[in-house]
Amino acid sequence: KAGVTQTPRYLIKTRGQQVTLSCSPISGHRSVSWYQQTPGQGLQFLFEYFSETQRNKGNFPGRFSGRQFSNSRSEMNVSTLELGDSALYLCASSLSPGQTYEQYFGPGTRLTVT
Amino acid sequence: AQKITQTQPGMFVQEKEAVTLDCTYDTSDQSYGLFWYKQPSSGEMIFLIYQGSYDEQNATEGRYSLNFQKARKSANLVISASQLGDSAMYFCAMILYSSASKIIFGSGTRLSIRP
């Protein structure tokens, strides 16, 4: 069974631009969560989607948004990029929200904002 | 406040020795889960082990065991017979079922195994 895939793996953007990251969950998994990982703040929960609906959201500004499609694939978007948005963005999938503890993570997208 | 604390930023252990990674948590919720992830240098997070707040027995998964002490609010990870491939960052995390499955991570412990 294929794992969680994230594209692109690496990305360089400049301040003020916007970016879209993609995540394809494991086949059959319907819950997708997004995390931001930085050296200073560690791992922080961004949001969770299930059945195309956002179920949960972390403490991030409105510049961070996401969506989920009917095939469970998810995208997250960051508008008006700031230097502090440079991070590893991890996506994780699970069978359902009730099994979030047994998430399977993708390799991440490393975003650099210059 | 809900919080996970990992007090060991880094640890060095000799190969084949057992190692304990500390994790304490703070929550007033009754229904929660604790788990550990391993993150190698490649960046991918690997799920290791899970313990529910109502589970009476400590969870074990192969060489990994979770030493759950509810009264002390600790959930230490024990790795028996460490291997060179165990070198990685280890994150303790807590899921709060009353908060729509919100997950909180600790700051991590970097484990280095010496040959």
Side-chain angles (χ1 to χ4, degrees):
Chain A
K1 185 187 276 189
V4 178
T5 57
Q6 291 186 247
T7 56
R9 292 292 311 277
Y10 302 92
L11 205 50
I12 300 175
K13 291 284 189 178
T14 56
R15 277 179 298 175
Q17 288 186 314
Q18 67 100 26
V19 66
T20 298
L21 312 181
S22 179
C23 171
S24 293
I26 291 172
S27 177
H29 284 195
R30 297 172 60 197
S31 179
V32 174
S33 297
W34 288 89
Y35 298 87
Q36 182 197 63
Q37 186 176 24
T38 60
Q41 299 296 319
L43 266 161
Q44 296 186 89
F45 171 75
L46 277 159
F47 26 64
E48 179 191 17
Y49 286 88
F50 178 71
S51 292
E52 302 177 63
T53 302
Q54 187 181 89
R55 288 191 74 249
N56 205 356
K57 190 176 191 303
N59 296 324
F60 278 83
R63 299 186 297 107
F64 292 82
S65 63
R67 60 177 175 169
Q68 186 181 34
F69 302 95
S70 58
N71 62 358
S72 295
R73 189 178 70 86
S74 177
E75 289 181 348
M76 67 162 281
N77 184 276
V78 187
S79 62
T80 320
L81 283 165
E82 300 177 0
L83 294 179
D85 297 334
S86 295
L88 179 67
Y89 290 87
L90 292 163
C91 162
S93 76
S94 59
L95 282 170
S96 67
Q99 291 179 302
T100 308
Y101 64 86
E102 197 167 344
Q103 300 176 103
Y104 294 86
F105 281 78
T109 294
R110 188 165 295 280
L111 171 66
T112 302
V113 182
T114 62
Chain B
Q2 330 279 15
K3 191 178 180 182
I4 290 279
T5 302
Q6 293 181 255
T7 57
Q8 305 154 311
M11 287 185 71
F12 287 90
V13 173
Q14 203 67 32
E15 189 181 9
K16 298 181 184 176
E17 287 184 350
V19 56
T20 298
L21 305 183
D22 296 340
C23 172
T24 57
Y25 61 94
D26 187 16
T27 181
S28 55
D29 287 24
Q30 296 300 309
S31 180
Y32 55 90
L34 298 151
F35 48 106
W36 283 86
Y37 281 97
K38 171 184 178 181
Q39 187 179 41
S41 54
S42 59
E44 188 170 344
M45 298 280 282
I46 302 168
F47 168 76
L48 294 178
I49 196 166
Y50 169 82
Q51 178 91 37
S53 59
Y54 296 113
D55 295 339
E56 294 186 355
Q57 289 195 330
N58 287 344
T60 60
E61 291 285 349
R63 294 186 300 114
Y64 304 107
S65 61
L66 197 153
N67 185 0
F68 181 46
Q69 298 190 34
K70 198 169 183 177
R72 294 184 179 183
K73 294 192 173 180
S74 74
N76 298 340
L77 176 70
V78 180
I79 306 174
S80 63
S82 57
Q83 303 170 357
L84 294 178
D86 294 333
S87 294
M89 279 289 286
Y90 288 81
F91 291 93
C92 179
M94 174 169 64
I95 181 170
L96 303 171
Y97 292 112
S98 63
S99 302
S101 301
K102 182 178 179 180
I103 293 181
I104 302 164
F105 284 87
S107 55
T109 295
R110 182 170 295 283
L111 177 63
S112 300
I113 308 297
R114 292 185 175 126

